[in-house]
Amino acid sequence: MSILNAIQEKMNSLHLKERALAEFLLEKPQQVVQMTITELAGQSGSSTATISRFCKTFHSQNFPEFKRKLATELVQQTSTPNQYQDIVAGNPLQDIVTAITANHLRSLTDTTQLLDLNQLRLAIDALHNASRIDLYGIATSGIVAQDFFHKLIRIGKAAAVFSDPHLQLTSASSLTSKDVAVGISYSGETPETIHALRCAAEQGATTLSITRFGTNTLADGASIRLFTSSAEVGMRRGDMASRMAQLHVVDILFIGLVSEHFEQYVPRLEASFQTIKLYTSKEERKPR
Amino acid sequence: MSILNAIQEKMNSLHLKERALAEFLLEKPQQVVQMTITELAGQSGSSTATISRFCKTFHSQNFPEFKRKLATELVQQTSTPNQYQDIVAGNPLQDIVTAITANHLRSLTDTTQLLDLNQLRLAIDALHNASRIDLYGIATSGIVAQDFFHKLIRIGKAAAVFSDPHLQLTSASSLTSKDVAVGISYSGETPETIHALRCAAEQGATTLSITRFGTNTLADGASIRLFTSSAEVGMRRGDMASRMAQLHVVDILFIGLVSEHFEQYVPRLEASFQTIKLYTSKEERKPR
DNA sequence: TGCATGATGAAAATATTTTTCTTAGATATA
DNA sequence: TATATCTAAGAAAAATATTTTCATCATGCA
């Protein structure tokens, strides 16, 4: 439910006509997906120009794409009855397991639906051509950044990962236009990561953001934007589902990268795998 | 699956160009839904006129409506996890995305199925009563261990995480019978983690393993065993699905822990959340 | 009050899609 | 075999839909 969610959230910061449009969208999304932009303009009391701009605000290149995304969201909503579950006290373990599983599954499918293949391709190309790759993330997003780091060095990329704010800036300030900086933050409002990515952009580096869907500072400042599902609310659940979604995006990025340049990267991947096997096989394994 | 089915069925009675179009549709439906009619004409070797007529044959008033229906169908199709897919060279991005998503979904559902609630309860009790918790994991499993560490310190647990083999042993040798050591390894054959967990057991600590399902050295040496799905094979896919599964287990462990002792842990969780909010809100946020 | 900013729609420009018209090849018939 | 008829299929025209540009108007601020 990322698009409708994002609209709901942004409601307050929308202008007069945009809000009228947003309200109409939230009220009758099913109908909107089969309307033309002119019809929608008429019925929502706005103009085609406003709608076209509105779609871009919500990360769709054009109105048809917006409708497409909205449509898939609506289908999912009706076909998968399991909403995101909140975790409450004293549930039997089985219920907890079921709830967490449902949340994670939902998070992955939602994120997949949101994925913009054009941005993905841009990201893959940027990573492929980068002479250095910097990864920034704090707390849980730092875990995701580290995971990405592990992957990238396995294929011989000159990558580095920073969760320390000062080091983030130190590294960012030495980037050049040949480099790529990746900022990871679920909210997209982590100040340290925002600063680091902004600094990287000022050095001319290509900037890539991985944030939740919707308008946020980190994505706004990035040249390539990838999004995760944004339905997660409340703090009890923590950031588990969002971390799953971020890792999902990282996996897709990585496999996309490897797959597009198979001959170059797969041997390296294989080599790193074999090397570890070689060096650790000296150790005795208890056969049992 | 009515549209694609209907096309499949009607295949024989279609004319030359219509058939070319139909074949293209069956092969790359995901891509078709985001094409314009002109693009589709070019790529399928037919013309826009033919496509427009084709859509009417299949009960759509026009091309956009056809795309809408097709898209809806495809969403429903992808949300059902199928087989584990291997990642191969030069696949179109859409296929890669679909394959990875399917793998991850599969990995989570399989792991949930495998979960032994008795072992889970034992693990939760052990963690709850532990005066110290040590987490051991190398490489990708180290990422998972760190993630667990972040969670545990948020609820005020005396936890520590080690990916460095010497430090693992150093810490393990100072554990007592009141402590818990958690060893994470997908294969269950990572020598460093095995040694550390064995050392912890020798000090009388409760040992918990998180490994792939099946017989393996790490689990054999642990007093509580949790398993993840073990279907992942081959190295091309790396350890992505297994990492997802491990995190899934960690999440369940954590939420189980918090939920069973709600009054004790939730305030701490809340406090950690609020504190971060307080200290980072001083920073200026660019409003848009 | 005057200036700047920005939201907004009208209209122009562009793009997409459908329909019409034409052609070429197939099939049937004398 | 020659001719007529039919139809698949594309080119191009027409219709429709969408985006962009530009002018206007309102609002906030000095």
Side-chain angles (χ1 to χ4, degrees):
Chain A
M1 278 287 286
S2 303
I3 291 190
L4 291 178
N5 258 352
I7 294 176
Q8 183 70 263
E9 257 178 49
K10 252 207 136 198
M11 208 57 168
N12 294 325
S13 61
L14 292 176
H15 305 120
L16 192 65
K17 296 292 172 167
E18 284 178 330
R19 187 171 307 185
L21 175 59
E23 268 160 15
F24 189 89
L25 273 165
L26 291 173
E27 207 178 324
K28 300 174 183 172
Q30 291 282 6
Q31 293 175 39
V32 171
V33 298
Q34 26 196 48
M35 284 181 181
T36 69
I37 200 172
T38 323
E39 286 167 350
L40 180 56
Q43 295 198 33
S44 69
S46 62
S47 70
T48 61
T50 303
I51 296 173
S52 186
R53 282 187 287 256
F54 185 91
C55 294
K56 291 200 175 59
T57 314
F58 287 93
H59 313 298
S60 294
Q61 298 214 310
N62 48 39
F63 182 63
E65 185 182 314
F66 181 85
K67 281 197 294 188
R68 204 162 57 232
K69 286 186 181 172
L70 189 59
T72 46
E73 233 179 64
L74 293 172
V75 176
Q76 281 223 311
Q77 198 186 0
T78 45
S79 70
T80 40
N82 38 25
Q83 293 291 312
Y84 280 93
Q85 311 271 327
D86 208 351
I87 312 295
V88 293
N91 259 5
L93 275 184
Q94 182 59 61
D95 291 359
I96 292 175
V97 172
T98 310
I100 295 177
T101 307
N103 283 345
H104 285 175
L105 293 179
R106 190 70 205 279
S107 178
L108 294 188
T109 48
D110 284 0
T111 298
T112 301
Q113 292 297 337
L114 273 180
L115 214 78
D116 185 326
L117 289 184
N118 297 319
Q119 293 287 304
L120 182 61
R121 161 141 291 123
L122 287 176
I124 289 172
D125 290 348
L127 290 173
H128 177 63
N129 297 316
S131 58
R132 263 175 71 194
I133 300 172
D134 259 19
L135 306 166
Y136 310 130
I138 300 264
T140 302
S141 300
I143 300 272
V144 177
Q146 270 195 47
D147 184 88
F148 202 3
F149 170 69
H150 283 195
K151 289 188 162 57
L152 290 174
I153 56 169
R154 244 178 262 172
I155 56 169
K157 281 278 153 196
V161 59
F162 303 97
S163 290
D164 177 317
H166 286 199
L167 286 181
Q168 285 183 342
L169 289 169
T170 308
S171 182
S173 63
S174 75
L175 292 178
T176 73
S177 62
K178 291 194 228 155
D179 304 325
V180 172
V182 183
I184 305 178
S185 161
Y186 172 63
S187 67
E189 301 296 348
T190 311
E192 294 83 357
T193 308
I194 293 170
H195 295 157
L197 210 67
R198 194 180 296 156
C199 175
E202 279 162 10
Q203 313 310 315
T206 303
T207 51
L208 166 60
S209 70
I210 302 179
T211 68
R212 68 139 199 249
F213 188 82
T215 317
N216 61 70
T217 314
L218 191 64
D220 284 351
S223 53
I224 307 173
R225 305 181 248 265
L226 292 173
F227 295 102
T228 60
S229 152
S230 67
E232 191 169 46
V233 287
M235 57 132 313
R236 279 185 200 158
R237 217 158 43 219
D239 34 23
M240 299 177 310
S242 72
R243 175 206 52 189
M244 284 291 185
Q246 288 177 341
L247 288 169
H248 186 53
V249 170
V250 164
D251 287 352
I252 289 170
L253 258 178
F254 178 71
I255 294 294
L257 180 62
V258 170
S259 175
E260 295 271 301
H261 308 278
F262 205 73
E263 281 72 20
Q264 184 173 355
Y265 292 133
V266 166
R268 295 187 192 172
L269 207 51
E270 185 89 35
S272 81
F273 186 70
Q274 294 302 337
T275 307
I276 288 172
K277 214 170 161 183
L278 179 69
Y279 279 88
T280 57
S281 67
K282 288 175 194 163
E283 307 261 349
E284 210 184 6
R285 286 186 196 174
K286 221 179 174 183
R288 150 88 188 158
Chain B
M1 278 289 287
S2 38
I3 291 191
L4 290 177
N5 264 348
I7 294 176
Q8 183 68 265
E9 264 177 41
K10 259 205 136 194
M11 208 54 166
N12 294 326
S13 61
L14 292 176
H15 303 122
L16 192 64
K17 295 292 171 166
E18 284 177 329
R19 187 171 306 184
L21 175 60
E23 269 161 14
F24 190 90
L25 273 164
L26 291 172
E27 206 179 325
K28 299 172 182 173
Q30 290 280 7
Q31 295 174 40
V32 171
V33 297
Q34 28 195 42
M35 284 182 183
T36 69
I37 201 172
T38 324
E39 285 167 350
L40 179 56
Q43 294 198 31
S44 69
S46 60
S47 70
T48 62
T50 303
I51 295 171
S52 186
R53 281 188 288 256
F54 184 92
C55 293
K56 292 200 176 57
T57 316
F58 287 93
H59 315 297
S60 295
Q61 300 218 310
N62 47 37
F63 182 62
E65 185 183 316
F66 181 84
K67 280 197 294 187
R68 206 163 54 233
K69 288 184 180 171
L70 189 58
T72 319
E73 245 180 51
L74 291 172
V75 177
Q76 282 162 341
Q77 200 186 357
T78 43
S79 52
T80 33
N82 20 40
Q83 294 293 306
Y84 281 96
Q85 313 269 326
D86 207 351
I87 314 294
V88 293
N91 259 5
L93 277 184
Q94 180 61 60
D95 292 358
I96 291 175
V97 171
T98 310
I100 295 177
T101 306
N103 284 346
H104 285 175
L105 294 179
R106 189 69 202 280
S107 179
L108 294 188
T109 48
D110 284 359
T111 299
T112 301
Q113 302 249 312
L114 277 178
L115 213 76
D116 183 328
L117 289 184
N118 297 319
Q119 293 287 302
L120 180 61
R121 164 140 290 125
L122 288 176
I124 289 172
D125 291 345
L127 290 172
H128 177 62
N129 297 315
S131 57
R132 264 174 69 194
I133 300 171
D134 259 20
L135 306 165
Y136 311 131
I138 299 265
T140 302
S141 299
I143 299 273
V144 177
Q146 271 194 50
D147 183 88
F148 202 3
F149 169 69
H150 282 198
K151 289 188 162 56
L152 290 174
I153 56 167
R154 244 179 261 172
I155 55 169
K157 282 279 155 194
V161 59
F162 303 97
S163 290
D164 177 316
H166 286 199
L167 286 181
Q168 285 183 341
L169 289 169
T170 308
S171 181
S173 63
S174 74
L175 292 178
T176 73
S177 62
K178 293 195 231 159
D179 304 326
V180 173
V182 183
I184 305 177
S185 163
Y186 172 63
S187 67
E189 302 296 348
T190 312
E192 296 83 356
T193 307
I194 293 169
H195 294 158
L197 211 67
R198 194 179 296 157
C199 176
E202 280 162 9
Q203 313 311 313
T206 304
T207 50
L208 165 60
S209 69
I210 302 178
T211 67
R212 68 140 202 257
F213 190 79
T215 316
N216 60 72
T217 314
L218 190 64
D220 285 351
S223 52
I224 307 172
R225 296 166 198 144
L226 291 173
F227 295 103
T228 60
S229 151
S230 63
E232 192 169 46
V233 287
M235 58 132 315
R236 279 186 197 159
R237 216 159 41 218
D239 35 23
M240 301 178 310
S242 73
R243 176 206 51 190
M244 284 291 186
Q246 288 177 342
L247 288 168
H248 186 53
V249 170
V250 165
D251 286 351
I252 289 171
L253 257 179
F254 178 71
I255 294 295
L257 182 61
V258 170
S259 174
E260 296 271 301
H261 308 279
F262 206 72
E263 281 72 20
Q264 184 174 355
Y265 292 132
V266 166
R268 295 188 192 171
L269 207 51
E270 185 88 33
S272 80
F273 187 70
Q274 294 301 338
T275 307
I276 288 171
K277 212 170 163 184
L278 179 69
Y279 277 89
T280 57
S281 66
K282 288 175 193 163
E283 306 263 350
E284 209 184 8
R285 285 187 197 174
K286 222 182 176 180
R288 193 225 117 78

